[in-house]
Protein backbone atom coordinates (compact mmCIF):
# COMPACT_ATOMS: atom_id res chain seq x y z
CA UNK A 1 0.00 0.00 0.00
CA UNK A 2 1.45 3.40 -1.02
CA UNK A 3 2.72 5.58 1.82
CA UNK A 4 0.83 8.78 2.69
CA UNK A 5 2.34 11.88 4.23
CA UNK A 6 1.85 15.57 4.86
CA UNK A 7 3.78 18.80 4.49
CA UNK A 8 3.64 21.58 7.06
CA UNK A 9 4.78 25.17 7.53
CA UNK A 10 4.60 27.47 10.55
CA UNK A 11 0.83 27.82 10.02
CA UNK A 12 0.25 24.23 11.18
CA UNK A 13 1.94 24.68 14.55
CA UNK A 14 3.62 21.87 16.47
CA UNK A 15 0.64 19.69 17.38
CA UNK A 16 -0.41 18.36 13.99
CA UNK A 17 -1.50 14.71 13.84
CA UNK A 18 0.87 12.14 12.36
CA UNK A 19 -1.61 9.27 12.57
CA UNK A 20 -1.63 7.23 9.38
CA UNK A 21 1.32 9.07 7.82
CA UNK A 22 4.77 7.75 6.95
CA UNK A 23 6.51 11.00 6.06
CA UNK A 24 6.39 14.69 6.92
CA UNK A 25 7.99 17.48 4.86
CA UNK A 26 8.60 20.67 6.85
CA UNK A 27 9.11 24.17 5.46
CA UNK A 28 12.57 25.30 6.51
CA UNK A 29 13.47 28.52 4.71
CA UNK A 30 12.45 31.07 2.12
CA UNK A 31 14.67 33.38 0.09
CA UNK A 32 17.76 34.40 2.05
CA UNK A 33 16.15 35.69 5.26
CA UNK A 34 13.16 33.64 6.42
CA UNK A 35 13.47 30.61 8.72
CA UNK A 36 10.36 28.77 9.89
CA UNK A 37 10.34 29.40 13.68
CA UNK A 38 8.52 26.11 14.31
CA UNK A 39 10.76 24.02 12.03
CA UNK A 40 12.62 22.11 14.73
CA UNK A 41 9.61 21.24 16.90
CA UNK A 42 7.65 20.20 13.81
CA UNK A 43 10.49 17.97 12.63
CA UNK A 44 10.95 16.52 16.12
CA UNK A 45 7.27 15.61 16.24
CA UNK A 46 7.60 13.75 12.94
CA UNK A 47 10.74 11.94 14.11
CA UNK A 48 9.07 10.87 17.35
CA UNK A 49 6.29 9.32 15.28
CA UNK A 50 8.83 7.37 13.20
CA UNK A 51 8.12 9.34 10.03
CA UNK A 52 10.62 10.00 7.26
CA UNK A 53 11.45 13.70 7.53
CA UNK A 54 12.02 16.20 4.75
CA UNK A 55 12.69 19.95 4.55
CA UNK A 56 11.81 22.34 1.76
CA UNK A 57 12.94 25.81 0.68
CA UNK A 58 10.59 28.32 -0.96
CA UNK A 59 12.52 29.64 -3.94
CA UNK A 60 12.72 33.30 -4.96
CA UNK A 61 14.32 34.62 -8.14
CA UNK A 62 18.05 35.42 -8.02
CA UNK A 63 20.73 34.88 -5.36
CA UNK A 64 20.54 31.17 -6.10
CA UNK A 65 23.85 30.15 -4.56
CA UNK A 66 23.10 32.23 -1.47
CA UNK A 67 19.63 30.70 -1.15
CA UNK A 68 21.08 27.19 -1.42
CA UNK A 69 23.64 27.87 1.30
CA UNK A 70 21.00 29.49 3.50
CA UNK A 71 18.75 26.45 3.14
CA UNK A 72 21.44 23.84 3.75
CA UNK A 73 22.86 25.72 6.75
CA UNK A 74 19.55 26.52 8.43
CA UNK A 75 17.50 23.34 7.84
CA UNK A 76 17.44 21.13 10.92
CA UNK A 77 18.53 18.23 8.74
CA UNK A 78 20.04 14.89 9.65
CA UNK A 79 21.45 12.05 7.62
CA UNK A 80 18.82 10.52 5.34
CA UNK A 81 16.41 13.46 5.59
CA UNK A 82 14.93 14.49 2.23
CA UNK A 83 15.42 18.03 0.87
CA UNK A 84 13.24 19.84 -1.66
CA UNK A 85 12.82 23.12 -3.50
CA UNK A 86 9.35 24.68 -3.63
CA UNK A 87 9.02 26.31 -7.06
CA UNK A 88 5.91 28.48 -7.38
CA UNK A 89 4.81 32.10 -7.54
CA UNK A 90 6.08 34.11 -4.57
CA UNK A 91 4.10 36.42 -2.31
CA UNK A 92 5.58 39.28 -4.32
CA UNK A 93 4.03 37.82 -7.49
CA UNK A 94 7.46 36.97 -8.90
CA UNK A 95 8.65 33.59 -10.11
CA UNK A 96 12.08 32.01 -10.22
CA UNK A 97 12.99 30.83 -13.70
CA UNK A 98 13.43 27.23 -14.73
CA UNK A 99 17.18 27.93 -14.87
CA UNK A 100 17.04 29.23 -11.28
CA UNK A 101 15.25 26.06 -10.20
CA UNK A 102 17.83 23.83 -11.89
CA UNK A 103 20.74 25.81 -10.46
CA UNK A 104 19.31 25.66 -6.94
CA UNK A 105 18.87 21.88 -7.02
CA UNK A 106 22.41 21.38 -8.32
CA UNK A 107 23.81 23.79 -5.71
CA UNK A 108 22.09 21.89 -2.87
CA UNK A 109 23.31 18.57 -4.24
CA UNK A 110 26.85 19.95 -4.32
CA UNK A 111 26.66 21.47 -0.84
CA UNK A 112 25.42 18.20 0.65
CA UNK A 113 27.96 16.11 -1.27
CA UNK A 114 25.18 14.18 -2.97
CA UNK A 115 24.41 12.45 0.33
CA UNK A 116 20.81 13.63 0.58
CA UNK A 117 17.94 13.27 -1.86
CA UNK A 118 16.83 16.57 -3.40
CA UNK A 119 13.32 16.90 -4.85
CA UNK A 120 11.51 19.42 -7.00
CA UNK A 121 8.08 20.51 -5.78
CA UNK A 122 5.80 22.33 -8.21
CA UNK A 123 2.21 22.26 -9.38
CA UNK A 124 0.99 20.69 -12.60
CA UNK A 125 0.88 24.04 -14.43
CA UNK A 126 4.51 24.82 -13.63
CA UNK A 127 5.63 21.35 -14.70
CA UNK A 128 3.74 21.38 -17.98
CA UNK A 129 4.00 25.05 -18.97
CA UNK A 130 6.99 26.66 -17.24
CA UNK A 131 9.52 23.86 -16.95
CA UNK A 132 11.71 23.49 -20.04
CA UNK A 133 14.33 20.99 -18.83
CA UNK A 134 12.38 18.28 -16.99
CA UNK A 135 15.09 18.39 -14.33
CA UNK A 136 13.75 17.42 -10.92
CA UNK A 137 16.89 16.35 -9.09
CA UNK A 138 16.24 13.03 -7.39
CA UNK A 139 12.52 13.08 -8.00
CA UNK A 140 9.38 15.06 -8.73
CA UNK A 141 6.92 16.09 -6.02
CA UNK A 142 3.90 17.22 -8.00
CA UNK A 143 0.86 19.16 -6.77
CA UNK A 144 -2.44 18.57 -8.52
CA UNK A 145 -5.67 18.85 -6.53
CA UNK A 146 -7.76 16.71 -8.85
CA UNK A 147 -9.39 14.44 -6.29
CA UNK A 148 -7.43 11.47 -7.62
CA UNK A 149 -4.60 10.51 -5.24
CA UNK A 150 -1.75 8.95 -7.20
CA UNK A 151 -3.03 10.28 -10.54
CA UNK A 152 -1.58 13.79 -10.97
CA UNK A 153 -2.32 14.02 -14.69
CA UNK A 154 1.22 14.06 -16.02
CA UNK A 155 3.20 11.54 -18.07
CA UNK A 156 6.49 12.13 -16.25
CA UNK A 157 7.59 9.83 -13.45
CA UNK A 158 6.77 11.28 -10.04
CA UNK A 159 7.56 10.23 -6.47
CA UNK A 160 5.07 12.27 -4.42
CA UNK A 161 1.64 13.60 -5.32
CA UNK A 162 0.18 16.41 -3.23
CA UNK A 163 -3.48 15.82 -3.97
CA UNK A 164 -5.31 18.03 -1.46
CA UNK A 165 -4.82 20.86 1.01
CA UNK A 166 -7.92 20.07 3.09
CA UNK A 167 -7.66 20.00 6.03
CA UNK A 168 -3.88 19.87 5.55
CA UNK A 169 -1.52 19.39 2.60
CA UNK A 170 -1.66 15.64 2.05
CA UNK A 171 0.49 13.56 -0.26
CA UNK A 172 0.63 10.06 -1.66
CA UNK A 173 4.02 8.56 -2.47
CA UNK A 174 4.90 6.19 -5.27
CA UNK A 175 6.61 3.84 -2.80
CA UNK A 176 4.96 0.51 -2.08
CA UNK A 177 5.66 0.71 1.65
CA UNK A 178 7.57 2.66 4.25
CA UNK A 179 10.59 0.36 4.07
CA UNK A 180 10.99 1.21 0.39
CA UNK A 181 10.71 4.94 1.16
CA UNK A 182 13.30 4.70 3.94
CA UNK A 183 15.67 2.78 1.67
CA UNK A 184 15.28 5.38 -1.12
CA UNK A 185 15.95 8.21 1.33
CA UNK A 186 19.28 6.58 2.16
CA UNK A 187 18.50 4.92 5.44
CA UNK A 188 17.92 1.35 6.37
CA UNK A 189 14.54 0.17 7.52
CA UNK A 190 14.82 -1.40 10.97
CA UNK A 191 11.56 -3.21 11.74
CA UNK A 192 10.12 -2.99 15.22
CA UNK A 193 10.36 -6.11 17.37
CA UNK A 194 7.29 -8.31 17.22
CA UNK A 195 4.38 -6.97 19.27
CA UNK A 196 3.86 -9.39 22.19
CA UNK A 197 0.10 -8.84 22.32
CA UNK A 198 -2.13 -6.68 24.48
CA UNK A 199 -2.36 -9.38 27.14
CA UNK A 200 1.29 -8.80 28.05
CA UNK A 201 0.46 -5.39 29.54
CA UNK A 202 -1.71 -4.29 32.44
CA UNK A 203 -2.05 -4.50 36.22
CA UNK A 204 -0.49 -7.63 37.70
CA UNK A 205 1.57 -8.42 34.60
CA UNK A 206 5.31 -9.07 34.84
CA UNK A 207 7.51 -9.91 31.83
CA UNK A 208 10.47 -8.73 29.79
CA UNK A 209 8.20 -7.03 27.24
CA UNK A 210 7.13 -4.52 29.91
CA UNK A 211 10.78 -3.80 30.72
CA UNK A 212 11.59 -3.40 27.02
CA UNK A 213 8.63 -1.05 26.59
CA UNK A 214 9.75 1.09 29.52
CA UNK A 215 13.33 1.29 28.30
CA UNK A 216 12.16 2.44 24.87
CA UNK A 217 9.86 5.04 26.42
CA UNK A 218 12.82 6.46 28.34
CA UNK A 219 14.93 6.41 25.17
CA UNK A 220 12.27 8.40 23.29
CA UNK A 221 11.90 10.92 26.12
CA UNK A 222 8.65 9.61 27.63
CA UNK A 223 9.85 8.33 31.00
CA UNK A 224 9.03 11.25 33.29
CA UNK A 225 6.61 9.27 35.46
CA UNK A 226 9.19 6.68 36.50
CA UNK A 227 10.58 7.36 39.98
CA UNK A 228 13.39 4.80 39.72
CA UNK A 229 13.22 3.37 36.25
CA UNK A 230 11.33 0.82 34.18
CA UNK A 231 11.04 -2.76 35.38
CA UNK A 232 9.41 -6.03 34.34
CA UNK A 233 6.40 -5.28 36.57
CA UNK A 234 3.59 -3.24 35.06
CA UNK A 235 2.93 -0.01 36.95
CA UNK A 236 0.79 3.09 36.75
CA UNK A 237 3.94 4.93 35.66
CA UNK A 238 4.11 2.65 32.59
CA UNK A 239 0.51 3.47 31.70
CA UNK A 240 0.99 7.22 32.14
CA UNK A 241 4.18 7.26 30.07
CA UNK A 242 2.53 5.27 27.29
CA UNK A 243 -0.42 7.67 27.40
CA UNK A 244 1.94 10.64 27.01
CA UNK A 245 3.48 9.00 23.95
CA UNK A 246 0.09 8.20 22.42
CA UNK A 247 -1.17 11.75 22.92
CA UNK A 248 2.01 13.06 21.28
CA UNK A 249 0.92 11.15 18.16
CA UNK A 250 -2.27 13.20 18.11
CA UNK A 251 -4.43 10.38 19.46
CA UNK A 252 -7.19 10.67 22.04
CA UNK A 253 -9.93 8.63 23.68
CA UNK A 254 -9.44 4.88 23.49
CA UNK A 255 -6.45 5.41 21.21
CA UNK A 256 -4.64 7.11 24.10
CA UNK A 257 -5.63 4.95 27.08
CA UNK A 258 -2.05 4.17 28.13
CA UNK A 259 -2.11 0.54 27.03
CA UNK A 260 0.07 -0.29 24.02
CA UNK A 261 -1.50 -1.79 20.91
CA UNK A 262 0.31 -2.76 17.70
CA UNK A 263 0.37 0.80 16.31
CA UNK A 264 1.75 2.27 19.56
CA UNK A 265 4.38 -0.48 19.73
CA UNK A 266 5.48 -0.08 16.11
CA UNK A 267 5.75 3.70 16.32
CA UNK A 268 7.61 3.56 19.60
CA UNK A 269 10.19 1.13 18.27
CA UNK A 270 10.48 2.47 14.71
Amino acid sequence: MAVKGIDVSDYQGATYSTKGFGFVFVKATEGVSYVNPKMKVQADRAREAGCVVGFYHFLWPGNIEAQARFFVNRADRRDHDVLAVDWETTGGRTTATCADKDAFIRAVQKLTGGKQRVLLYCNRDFWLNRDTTSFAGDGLWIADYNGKPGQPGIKAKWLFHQYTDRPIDTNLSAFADKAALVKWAGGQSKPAPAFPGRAAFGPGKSNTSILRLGQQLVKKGYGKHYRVGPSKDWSEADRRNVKDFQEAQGWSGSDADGYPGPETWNRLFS
Side-chain angles (χ1 to χ4, degrees):
M1 185 176 182
V3 185
K4 291 178 67 176
I6 56 174
D7 55 278
V8 297
S9 65
D10 63 317
Y11 297 110
Q12 278 71 48
T15 57
Y16 61 87
S17 175
T18 58
K19 188 173 183 179
F21 300 127
F23 62 92
V24 177
F25 294 157
V26 180
K27 181 174 183 178
T29 52
E30 181 173 339
V32 292
S33 60
Y34 174 82
V35 178
N36 174 8
K38 300 184 180 74
M39 170 180 57
K40 187 179 186 307
V41 293
Q42 289 176 327
D44 286 346
R45 182 171 183 81
R47 296 189 203 284
E48 289 172 359
C51 296
V52 171
V53 173
F55 294 97
Y56 68 90
H57 172 84
F58 191 99
L59 189 66
W60 281 67
N63 299 317
I64 299 303
E65 293 287 340
Q67 287 192 69
R69 287 193 299 272
F70 184 69
F71 175 46
V72 169
N73 291 336
R74 297 299 183 92
D76 188 42
R77 60 192 179 94
R78 302 179 187 176
D79 290 345
H80 315 313
D81 287 346
V82 179
L83 304 180
V85 57
D86 181 349
W87 183 38
E88 56 182 291
T89 301
T90 71
R93 307 312 299 170
T94 60
T95 304
T97 66
C98 182
D100 286 340
K101 172 264 293 183
D102 290 356
F104 181 88
I105 292 173
R106 291 193 171 97
V108 172
Q109 289 175 325
K110 182 177 180 180
L111 288 167
T112 58
K115 295 180 180 179
Q116 288 184 283
R117 300 286 192 179
V118 185
L119 300 169
L120 166 65
Y121 168 90
C122 66
N123 63 31
R124 185 171 178 270
D125 173 65
F126 268 60
W127 182 253
L128 295 179
N129 301 314
R130 303 199 187 202
D131 183 90
T132 58
T133 62
S134 298
F135 179 61
D138 293 303
L140 177 61
W141 174 15
I142 187 77
D144 185 24
Y145 301 167
N146 61 2
K148 300 177 181 178
Q151 300 179 49
I154 59 173
K155 294 181 179 179
K157 182 179 179 181
W158 55 272
L159 291 182
F160 301 92
H161 175 200
Q162 186 187 80
Y163 61 88
T164 185
D165 61 352
R166 298 182 181 181
I168 192 171
D169 289 347
T170 308
N171 307 266
L172 186 71
S173 79
F175 296 94
D177 52 37
K178 186 178 173 183
L181 172 57
V182 170
K183 183 177 180 180
W184 170 83
Q188 294 183 352
S189 179
K190 184 180 292 185
F195 178 57
R198 295 177 185 275
F201 308 100
K205 302 293 183 180
S206 180
N207 53 67
T208 56
S209 293
I210 295 173
L211 175 60
R212 191 174 196 178
L213 172 77
Q215 291 172 334
Q216 189 68 6
L217 284 165
V218 171
K219 183 178 179 180
K220 287 290 187 76
Y222 293 92
K224 71 178 183 180
H225 298 294
Y226 291 127
R227 291 186 176 180
V228 178
S231 73
K232 295 192 296 182
D233 301 321
W234 181 264
S235 68
E236 177 63 12
D238 289 308
R239 191 195 69 78
R240 292 175 69 185
N241 286 329
V242 171
K243 183 176 177 64
D244 286 348
F245 176 77
Q246 291 170 331
E247 290 178 342
Q249 312 311 300
W251 304 341
S252 61
S254 61
D255 290 331
D257 60 4
Y259 295 95
E263 182 67 15
T264 297
W265 183 269
N266 288 334
R267 287 204 180 194
L268 185 60
F269 282 92
S270 63

